[in-house]
Amino acid sequence: MKTTTLKFLVLALFLCLHIPAGLAQKFNSKNENQNIRQFIQIWGLVKYRSQKSIAGQFDADQVFLELIDSVKTADTHQFNQLMCRLTQDKGPKPTLSKQVYQKSKRIDGAYLLNNVDYSWIKNKRHTPLLKKQLTDLTNQINNTGTHQYVPEVFYEGDLPNEPAYPDYTFNAEPMNLLAFAKAWNAIEYLFPYKYVMDKDWEDVLVEMLPVFKEIKDRTGYEKAILMLETALNDTHAGGFMSPENMQMTNAIFKVRYYPPFDYKATKTGLIITQFLSDSLAKQSSLKVGDALVAINGIKIKQWLKNRSRLLPASNDAVIYRELSTRNNFRGDTFAFSNIQDSVLSVTVKRQKKNINLSLGMLDRKNRNSIKIIERHIHKEQTKAKEFKGIEPIGDSITLVRAGHVFDKDIPDDEDLPKLSAELKSKKALIFDMRKYPQSPGFFSYYLPKLLGKAPFKFARYYTADLRQIGIFRYKEELETYMYAPKDGTQPIGDPYSGQIVILVNENTQSMGEWFTMMLRQFNSRAIVIGSQTAGADGDLRRLTLPGDYQFSFTGNGVFYPDGRETQRLGIKPDIYFKPSFEDLSGTNDGQLQRALDFIKTGY
């Protein structure tokens, strides 16, 4: 028996000393990644749930940077020692409350608990002491009403006390991993819709860690963050791509070539809506109204799918919006990204027939091409400014364009009764929510006042619970939903009882969706006409990352009163409207005409 045991030990020692270098390296890398992933989760729990962090006695960034190298090389025993020291809460004595989390498919309670999942604490690598300390953190209650890393103001804003590191050069692995840890945990604890994402967030932690470890420059850094943003399935995450935030758009998307026309992307084709100039229209063999159904032999659905992988969006409607140039004044042409040649072979559907043609693109390295593009965008911007915010249509209908009503357009108090009487005299009011509202005060305060409507709840609104970060609390206060004046000011006259029609599409986003929900319940004759909206209601949160980047996501949960979700789904129209080729390529507004037809006929 002893001889057998001795032989086994000698053999084991021989095998350990003769493990191929590649296998040893692979084992070390696997162990290192496992340590980092668990450290990110534990560090995030301490950042958001410990009393020392709540009280401002925990510098999360500094602690991460001090520990990361030791974490990477630690064996299991050393790792547990490091984490036990990290999770010791030496802050103010906490209030403890053992939580019982009961998740429900219905969103109708005081708390939104769908994101709560601490099963990772039970990892078999964690010692009993570490598991206990982690569990204690999950049961702590914050009674201070404040938090070092979460704002007291529940609506739109930046997360506090997150250093910008504006001079960061993107080539230090510890700092890149810090950026990853900050963003991952912000979503883990402060994104109310984590539970409706396509991917499990812990799987994203596994998948994205090697990406952040391999970052060498600004382009790699921006692309890694963009990959994280895309994983959220959240249209608000698209804010990361703003020009003032993301500097390497061209390097990532390779959008050198620009088509000679504006187009609307759909799942069945790219529809040409207008050419950038008359001369370009004459030179091209394509025509307004043509639908590009294949490019370089690739069917359009696959072509667009390949070019949408890094476009943050809640739903396909927004994906196609971002792939379009129609009503896009940024000059983005993502549908034509990563193209090597200036001439493309395209298949065009024209009058139910497919035609093979060549498409010559404008080169943005050519100064004349840039002038053509800029001139066209400026022309479209000027045209958009000509719309009026509030405009009578005949004697019996008034059109209110949310994207064109500004604070300066609101009358003085003494003139409000006159406007109120004018609006109430109309048999129908049309609210165009297809452009982002420019005056929140007009919709939340003045419009209800003008139409005789007292403040009312029209949604279920959940915001981060400062007592238990990771949980979201239902906001009972009426001021959350509409501006409820405290000076005793009353609505003007009786409530408006005429027809209300609300126009929506994929450009109806966030505040536009919020006010659509309000208007939809304004009276019993309100109706929504349009298509799927952006599916990103609930205010915007911004987390500052190293390099002074803003990582964006939806910060509050918005549901219908009966608990139905709005995130990703958007506002469901009562009457679905799909624009025709003629609507897209012409100067007429087919959706507005559909509203007028409904007002006239009732269907």
Side-chain angles (χ1 to χ4, degrees):
M1 183 69 176
K2 289 183 179 180
T3 303
T4 303
T5 302
L6 180 60
K7 286 181 179 179
F8 176 79
L9 290 174
V10 170
L11 177 61
L13 179 61
F14 174 81
L15 291 174
C16 288
L17 292 174
H18 290 80
I19 294 176
L23 289 177
Q25 185 176 0
K26 185 176 181 180
F27 173 79
N28 290 336
S29 176
K30 182 179 179 181
N31 186 69
E32 177 182 303
N33 286 351
Q34 190 174 30
N35 282 357
I36 295 172
R37 291 196 303 269
Q38 291 174 335
F39 172 49
I40 287 174
Q41 289 180 294
I42 293 169
W43 172 84
L45 183 62
V46 174
K47 177 178 180 178
Y48 286 111
R49 294 304 298 260
S50 73
Q51 296 297 314
K52 61 186 177 184
S53 182
I54 291 167
Q57 299 170 9
F58 177 77
D59 188 329
D61 286 21
Q62 180 181 342
V63 169
F64 187 96
L65 294 172
E66 286 176 350
L67 288 180
I68 186 61
D69 286 337
S70 298
V71 164
K72 288 165 63 176
T73 58
D75 59 27
T76 302
H77 175 69
Q78 294 167 335
F79 179 81
N80 275 275
Q81 285 186 318
L82 287 170
M83 295 303 101
C84 281
R85 287 197 292 270
L86 173 62
T87 54
Q88 286 177 346
D89 199 350
K90 298 178 181 179
K93 187 175 180 180
T95 299
L96 297 178
S97 175
K98 190 167 184 179
Q99 305 297 321
V100 179
Y101 302 113
Q102 295 180 344
K103 300 176 186 177
S104 171
K105 290 184 178 180
R106 287 185 58 82
I107 309 299
D108 54 9
Y111 296 96
L112 177 61
L113 304 170
N114 298 47
N115 285 339
V116 179
D117 183 3
Y118 292 119
S119 59
W120 59 268
I121 290 175
K122 299 176 183 179
N123 191 298
K124 61 183 180 181
R125 294 183 78 222
H126 297 166
T127 62
L129 175 60
L130 178 57
K131 289 178 183 178
K132 179 183 183 304
Q133 291 182 186
L134 292 171
T135 302
D136 286 346
L137 286 175
T138 70
N139 290 323
Q140 290 189 13
I141 302 298
N142 171 21
N143 287 321
T144 68
T146 62
H147 194 295
Q148 179 185 192
Y149 292 112
V150 183
E152 295 176 55
V153 178
F154 62 86
Y155 45 86
E156 178 177 348
D158 298 338
L159 299 180
N161 300 309
E162 299 287 359
Y165 308 98
D167 299 323
Y168 180 51
T169 54
F170 315 103
N171 56 357
E173 184 180 287
M175 188 65 83
N176 293 334
L177 291 176
L178 173 63
F180 179 40
K182 286 159 75 83
W184 191 88
N185 277 292
I187 299 305
E188 177 74 359
Y189 291 95
L190 299 173
F191 181 46
Y193 298 117
K194 186 184 70 170
Y195 72 99
V196 296
M197 290 160 46
D198 286 342
K199 286 187 176 181
D200 183 276
W201 196 230
E202 285 195 48
D203 290 342
V204 175
L205 178 61
V206 174
E207 294 172 10
M208 290 301 301
L209 177 59
V211 176
F212 275 83
K213 288 179 72 175
E214 291 298 318
I215 293 171
K216 303 298 182 193
D217 52 26
R218 183 190 292 272
T219 303
Y221 184 81
E222 288 188 353
K223 186 174 181 179
I225 297 173
L226 189 55
M227 291 171 70
L228 267 185
E229 292 276 34
T230 304
L232 303 185
N233 304 122
D234 181 25
T235 301
H236 270 144
F240 177 73
M241 296 177 65
S242 63
E244 60 271 18
N245 189 46
M246 188 173 169
Q247 300 180 31
M248 305 300 292
T249 306
N250 286 346
I252 293 172
F253 289 95
K254 297 180 177 60
V255 285
R256 173 176 172 177
Y257 296 106
Y258 199 104
F261 46 73
D262 277 341
Y263 61 90
K264 169 73 174 177
T266 72
K267 63 181 180 181
T268 57
L270 295 182
I271 302 169
I272 300 175
T273 59
Q274 65 175 327
F275 280 84
L276 306 190
S277 70
D278 291 340
S279 60
L280 288 174
K282 292 176 182 178
Q283 295 170 19
S284 179
S285 56
L286 288 91
K287 297 180 180 180
V288 169
D290 283 348
L292 278 65
V293 295
I295 300 176
N296 287 349
I298 301 172
K299 291 183 178 180
I300 200 66
K301 187 175 182 179
Q302 185 62 47
W303 177 273
L304 295 179
K305 182 178 180 180
N306 294 342
R307 282 154 181 80
S308 66
R309 300 186 193 281
L310 292 178
L311 297 179
S314 297
N315 52 47
D316 286 346
V318 177
I319 288 288
Y320 289 119
R321 180 190 85 185
E322 294 303 301
L323 288 167
S324 302
T325 61
R326 183 175 172 82
N327 298 323
N328 173 359
F329 301 141
R330 299 173 306 190
D332 295 332
T333 53
F334 295 125
F336 292 95
S337 63
N338 198 27
I339 290 174
Q340 308 302 319
D341 301 311
S342 61
V343 178
L344 305 175
S345 299
V346 297
T347 301
V348 170
K349 189 172 186 178
R350 181 186 297 169
Q351 297 177 348
K352 299 183 180 181
K353 293 182 179 180
N354 286 351
I355 307 170
N356 295 321
L357 300 171
S358 292
L359 167 60
M361 304 287 285
L362 300 176
D363 188 344
R364 280 195 267 207
K365 288 189 176 182
N366 180 285
R367 186 173 299 178
N368 187 53
S369 293
I370 292 175
K371 286 182 180 179
I372 293 172
I373 297 166
E374 290 179 342
R375 194 180 302 122
H376 172 73
I377 292 175
H378 177 71
K379 179 182 175 183
E380 292 301 301
Q381 288 174 324
T382 302
K383 194 188 305 181
K385 292 178 182 178
E386 295 174 356
F387 289 110
K388 295 179 180 179
I390 303 177
E391 180 180 9
I393 303 178
D395 296 328
S396 60
I397 302 171
T398 289
L399 172 63
V400 179
R401 296 184 178 93
H404 296 274
V405 177
F406 299 89
D407 290 345
K408 65 180 178 60
D409 300 322
I410 299 172
D412 295 331
D413 287 348
E414 59 268 24
D415 295 324
L416 290 176
K418 180 181 177 182
L419 179 57
S420 173
E422 183 181 335
L423 290 174
K424 287 182 181 179
S425 70
K426 306 296 184 180
K427 75 173 184 180
L429 300 175
I430 300 174
F431 293 94
D432 188 349
M433 309 303 291
R434 295 173 295 176
K435 188 175 180 182
Y436 196 79
Q438 297 300 308
S439 177
F442 174 77
F443 281 93
S444 64
Y445 173 65
Y446 285 98
L447 184 62
K449 181 182 177 72
L450 291 165
L451 297 182
K453 184 71 173 179
F456 69 104
K457 293 181 183 179
F458 49 85
R460 296 191 66 84
Y461 186 101
Y462 290 81
T463 187
D465 184 5
L466 286 176
R467 297 177 75 248
Q468 309 169 88
I469 298 300
I471 292 174
F472 293 80
R473 179 175 63 85
Y474 174 51
K475 295 287 286 185
E476 295 276 3
E477 301 83 0
L478 189 58
E479 291 83 358
T480 302
Y481 301 85
M482 298 173 74
Y483 180 76
K486 295 179 172 53
D487 58 4
T489 302
Q490 297 297 317
I492 300 174
D494 296 327
Y496 177 71
S497 58
Q499 180 72 60
I500 292 176
V501 180
I502 309 137
L503 306 181
V504 301
N505 64 8
E506 66 276 7
N507 294 306
T508 308
Q509 177 174 327
S510 193
M511 194 186 299
E513 293 174 296
W514 177 253
F515 289 134
T516 295
M517 294 179 74
M518 179 192 79
L519 292 167
R520 179 64 186 84
Q521 297 176 54
F522 223 79
N523 69 21
S524 60
R525 298 185 63 194
I527 191 167
V528 177
I529 296 177
S531 55
Q532 186 175 34
T533 62
D537 206 344
D539 301 305
L540 182 67
R541 281 275 184 265
R542 292 179 295 267
L543 166 71
T544 303
L545 294 181
D548 200 11
Y549 284 83
Q550 299 297 312
F551 184 85
S552 305
F553 58 95
T554 299
N556 297 303
V558 175
F559 302 82
Y560 283 102
D562 62 3
R564 287 177 296 137
E565 287 157 339
T566 61
Q567 179 72 4
R568 302 197 67 180
L569 301 175
I571 306 301
K572 184 179 180 180
D574 299 295
I575 298 176
Y576 184 78
F577 175 82
K578 181 180 179 181
S580 66
F581 283 3
E582 291 75 17
D583 292 329
L584 291 172
S585 58
T587 56
N588 294 328
D589 187 340
Q591 191 169 348
L592 176 58
Q593 185 59 52
R594 180 66 181 88
L596 295 173
D597 291 343
F598 174 82
I599 293 169
K600 182 178 180 180
T601 65
Y603 58 88

